[in-house]
Amino acid sequence: MGDAVRFDKLEQIGKVKRVTTVFIPGKTNGQVWYITFKAKADAGNLNVNEKKLLLVGHFEDPDLILWWNENSASATTSDKVDTLFLEAHGSTGITQAQAVYGMADVQLNLGDDYDVFVERFVDVYIQANPNRKRNDKISSFINVLYPELREELEIEQIYTDWDQLKRRVGYLYAKQQKKARARIAGVQQRDERDELAELRKRLNQ
């Protein structure tokens, strides 16, 4: 393909398709791969939308494409595209074995940001299981939920679709967070009433 591919319009990118190899999560060294991609993309004088279109053309993994679709809108400049990819997939030292051990540290807690948790889970899971199929991560995902959430989920049905599971867990998680906040508020109100009663008692002595 040469050292650089120069194009300015989106339809031309569709013809070029790729300027380097396909990026494979868990197998390809993300940092090294992106250096090659970025050099050729920069040589093409692309705007941010053209660069994003070219980048996603190098993805074939369904989970990687899903991750991109869910996160790429936040990358509004060329530098932000670089940062988005490298922060998620630019690790140079992690091995599959390290990622497997790293799965033990991926746990959802009641106070966590659910979307951030899902993104981290998918990233670590892809690195630990490079040859998995799309729905293979369902059981692993359920296992990293905290007990109350896992129990509520398991009494409903057996999930075989990743997207359906992710949405349902997000709904149940938000509901449990709301209940937890309500309980905290109730405890605080009781504490305040007890404190007020104690002050009144002291004033009346």
Side-chain angles (χ1 to χ4, degrees):
M1 293 185 183
D3 293 334
V5 178
R6 293 192 173 274
F7 36 72
D8 300 307
K9 298 180 180 179
L10 297 179
E11 55 265 32
Q12 290 177 294
I13 294 175
K15 295 177 182 178
V16 173
K17 293 184 179 179
R18 292 173 184 149
V19 294
T20 186
T21 58
V22 170
F23 177 75
I24 304 174
K27 290 186 176 181
T28 308
N29 183 311
Q31 193 169 77
V32 172
W33 182 89
Y34 199 77
I35 288 172
T36 302
F37 169 82
K38 186 177 185 303
K40 295 190 175 185
D42 288 350
N45 297 318
L46 306 181
N47 64 36
V48 63
N49 290 325
E50 292 164 349
K51 183 174 182 177
K52 288 161 76 170
L53 182 63
L54 182 64
L55 178 59
V56 75
H58 293 75
F59 300 162
E60 291 183 347
D61 182 272
D63 289 321
L64 180 61
I65 294 171
L66 177 63
W67 166 82
W68 176 256
N69 290 339
E70 291 178 343
N71 293 277
S72 60
S74 64
T76 54
T77 67
S78 182
D79 287 344
K80 288 182 178 179
V81 172
D82 299 341
T83 300
L84 177 65
F85 179 87
L86 289 172
E87 285 186 349
H89 302 287
S91 174
T92 58
I94 190 167
T95 65
Q96 183 178 351
Q98 288 172 324
V100 170
Y101 286 116
M103 285 296 297
D105 296 325
V106 182
Q107 299 287 329
L108 178 64
N109 298 304
L110 191 56
D112 292 343
D113 182 305
Y114 180 68
D115 292 334
V116 172
F117 162 76
V118 171
E119 183 177 336
R120 182 177 178 229
F121 169 83
V122 170
D123 187 49
V124 175
Y125 184 87
I126 287 175
Q127 294 180 73
N129 303 273
N131 297 316
R132 80 274 170 262
K133 296 180 180 179
R134 177 173 176 74
N135 290 320
D136 287 351
K137 57 181 172 288
I138 286 177
S139 60
S140 296
F141 185 73
I142 292 174
N143 287 336
V144 300
L145 305 177
Y146 56 87
E148 295 86 352
L149 182 56
R150 186 167 61 246
E151 290 168 6
E152 185 170 356
L153 183 71
E154 289 177 342
I155 63 175
E156 293 188 336
Q157 67 180 72
I158 297 175
Y159 287 88
T160 58
D161 180 79
W162 163 248
D163 290 328
Q164 182 186 22
L165 172 67
K166 186 174 65 172
R167 287 192 299 269
R168 185 58 181 169
V169 171
Y171 169 78
L172 294 175
Y173 180 65
K175 187 172 71 171
Q176 290 193 3
Q177 276 191 323
K178 185 177 180 180
K179 288 182 179 179
R181 293 190 183 103
R183 288 197 298 269
I184 291 172
V187 170
Q188 289 174 335
Q189 289 175 355
R190 287 196 298 273
D191 289 345
E192 289 171 358
R193 287 197 296 268
D194 292 343
E195 183 179 354
L196 181 59
E198 180 63 25
L199 287 173
R200 286 174 175 167
K201 180 179 178 181
R202 291 172 62 187
L203 288 171
N204 292 330
Q205 287 179 345

